[in-house]
Amino acid sequence: MKIAITADIHLKQSKDEAPERYNALINIIKKIKDEKIDKLIIAGDLFDKEAKNYNIFDEFVKINNDITFYVIPGNHDVGLNQKYFTANNLQIFNSAQVLSFNNNAIKIFLIPYSADNSMGEVLAQNEQQLPEKWVLLGHGDYITGQSTPNPYEPGIYMLLTRHDIETYNPVKVILGHIHKREIFGKVHYVGSPCGLDITETGKRYFTIVDTNSGEVTSNKILTDILYYNENLIMLPVEDEFGYIEQQIQKMIKGWSLSDDELTKVRLRLKINGYTSDLKKLQSIVNDALKNFTFYNDKEPDLTEVNVLKDNERIQIIELVKEAIEKNDKELGLLQLTQNDVMEQSLHIILNKA
Ligand SMILES: [Mn+2]
């Protein structure tokens, strides 16, 4: 049996405010129906903090009466309660619980968010009722020392440690809270189904877990908006405008989006570095991106681009650029990008600390 999982939708009070979040949920429902899946778990932060009116979601659940919705609260909707809803196909869980769909399959252990406990404490309290094979589903921070900080959620929430996982040994762990889809070993962060703002970039996914095999897969969501927050470096090389056009094409290619998805992009672009002709740079950049929509309608930010007229240094920069491109493999081993090294080299060549 397959069960779909999403988290961190952060629905607003009305559908008019951030409608893309509702639309992402609608797309998930469409996709899981296509796959004949009839269960959707929402792993916390279904609602944004100020939500008080739940009728739109209640109606939405009722309309989709062939799906059962299982919801655990997250830190944004911590007081969420069954009595706020009338739909029969919706279950809200306020305490840790085992979900069991058929006897032989892997079970799901739900841990709703609580400000007073870590996930490890909840696991210890429930050790006796943990099934033989189970997937942990919760909302909080998994600490490996390598997770990406979430600017939306500073601090640590409902900690889960690697030690907890080793001690209780779930088949998989599926978590809400970090809005970026990330995978650390058996731990999967689902990620928000639609970026909430410019910091939540790239394609979005929901998760499907197979309760027979324990296999977890990521499935793309067709969102209304795809955020990209990019930085490029302008170099005053011989063919500087050809160079920046090439950088822009490389950036777009790196997103690997379909033509339709490219129309969903909301781009914030900042360019650093040096040019011989700022006015021309602006027109080249705007022309290369004329089919794109910019985040908050702000054109690419060129305020950090300096003008350089020194021919000798331009030649030196050209040589350094070639050397950096030739040694891309070595830079990769040092976990450096060509852009990082070029930026540092520019500071040195141009005497700017
Ligand atoms: Mn969240």
Side-chain angles (χ1 to χ4, degrees):
M1 181 192 286
K2 288 181 175 175
I3 298 166
I5 301 158
T6 184
D8 297 287
I9 313 176
H10 286 257
L11 295 176
K12 294 281 194 181
Q13 291 268 43
S14 86
K15 248 185 185 170
D16 304 333
E17 211 186 332
E20 66 275 11
R21 300 184 192 178
Y22 251 101
N23 291 339
L25 178 61
I26 290 168
N27 188 250
I28 293 173
I29 297 294
K30 181 190 174 302
K31 293 207 157 175
I32 68 176
K33 283 183 180 175
D34 289 347
E35 292 230 19
K36 309 247 181 306
I37 294 172
D38 63 359
K39 293 173 177 59
L40 175 66
I41 301 177
I42 299 165
D45 289 0
L46 166 59
F47 297 100
D48 213 25
K49 48 199 140 210
E50 71 274 21
K52 286 183 200 74
N53 186 324
Y54 301 106
N55 294 320
I56 297 166
F57 183 73
D58 199 24
E59 282 309 308
F60 178 81
V61 172
K62 283 191 210 168
I63 290 164
N64 292 288
N65 59 2
D66 44 350
I67 307 266
T68 308
F69 294 76
Y70 304 86
V71 177
I72 60 167
N75 54 304
H76 281 272
D77 46 17
V78 72
L80 204 63
N81 198 292
Q82 189 79 51
K83 66 187 176 192
Y84 303 167
F85 303 90
T86 61
N88 294 323
N89 53 324
L90 171 66
Q91 293 184 34
I92 314 270
F93 296 89
N94 297 105
S95 58
Q97 197 157 326
V98 177
L99 272 188
S100 172
F101 299 107
N102 57 47
N103 278 337
N104 299 320
I106 294 166
K107 314 232 183 308
I108 302 206
F109 185 60
L110 299 173
I111 304 185
Y113 174 79
S114 124
D116 308 323
N117 293 104
S118 67
M119 277 190 255
E121 285 166 340
V122 176
L123 286 166
Q125 288 156 14
N126 291 276
E127 195 173 2
Q128 297 308 319
Q129 61 153 325
L130 291 177
E132 196 187 320
K133 282 187 169 181
W134 54 289
V135 168
L136 168 58
L137 196 134
H139 186 96
D141 286 303
Y142 172 55
I143 299 299
T144 57
Q146 56 181 334
S147 64
T148 311
N150 179 357
Y152 211 76
E153 314 275 21
I156 288 181
Y157 290 81
M158 214 177 186
L159 180 66
L160 177 73
T161 65
R162 189 192 301 228
H163 177 73
D164 296 329
I165 292 174
E166 282 160 8
T167 305
Y168 301 103
N169 197 30
V171 176
K172 291 274 160 51
V173 179
I174 301 172
L175 297 176
H177 190 58
I178 301 296
H179 290 186
K180 184 180 174 202
R181 181 186 64 144
E182 299 210 65
I183 299 168
F184 308 108
K186 57 166 89 163
V187 178
H188 293 240
Y189 273 105
V190 182
S192 50
C194 182
L196 300 193
D197 60 36
I198 191 71
T199 65
E200 300 186 11
T201 57
K203 295 182 219 181
R204 318 307 293 178
Y205 300 85
F206 69 98
T207 293
I208 294 175
V209 60
D210 184 324
T211 59
N212 296 315
S213 65
E215 192 193 1
V216 173
T217 52
S218 275
N219 302 267
K220 198 158 81 176
I221 301 169
L222 295 181
T223 54
D224 297 349
I225 294 174
L226 290 165
Y227 292 113
Y228 286 91
N229 186 17
E230 303 280 1
N231 287 288
L232 294 176
I233 300 183
M234 180 63 183
L235 298 180
V237 289
E238 208 181 325
D239 180 20
E240 56 178 311
F241 302 110
Y243 174 76
I244 195 72
E245 274 178 341
Q246 214 180 56
Q247 293 298 103
I248 289 171
Q249 293 319 320
K250 211 165 121 186
M251 169 187 86
I252 296 168
K253 219 173 150 203
W255 301 334
S256 19
L257 300 177
S258 67
D259 287 350
D260 181 49
E261 286 170 326
L262 286 171
T263 67
K264 315 277 176 75
V265 169
R266 299 292 177 273
L267 173 62
R268 183 159 79 185
L269 176 63
K270 183 172 175 122
I271 300 183
N272 294 303
Y274 297 83
T275 180
S276 64
D277 187 338
L278 189 63
K279 195 174 170 61
K280 187 162 179 199
L281 173 63
Q282 186 190 38
S283 96
I284 295 276
V285 169
N286 285 346
D287 197 48
L289 294 167
K290 62 176 184 292
N291 297 324
F292 286 90
T293 306
F294 294 105
Y295 181 64
N296 284 346
D297 292 324
K298 280 199 183 115
E299 284 188 2
D301 178 357
L302 305 181
T303 55
E304 296 295 319
V305 180
N306 299 295
V307 175
L308 184 72
K309 316 161 210 166
D310 176 338
N311 273 329
E312 193 175 330
R313 289 203 230 193
I314 289 174
Q315 279 170 18
I316 294 170
I317 291 167
E318 184 93 45
L319 290 170
V320 171
K321 170 178 164 273
E322 281 167 23
I324 288 173
E325 284 168 356
K326 253 188 223 147
N327 290 291
D328 188 48
K329 216 171 159 186
E330 284 76 6
L331 296 179
L333 293 174
L334 295 167
Q335 301 202 318
L336 292 167
T337 67
Q338 289 190 13
N339 271 359
D340 294 337
V341 179
M342 196 64 232
E343 198 164 12
Q344 291 303 320
S345 307
L346 281 177
H347 287 311
I348 296 166
I349 299 163
L350 299 161
N351 257 330
K352 303 219 170 185

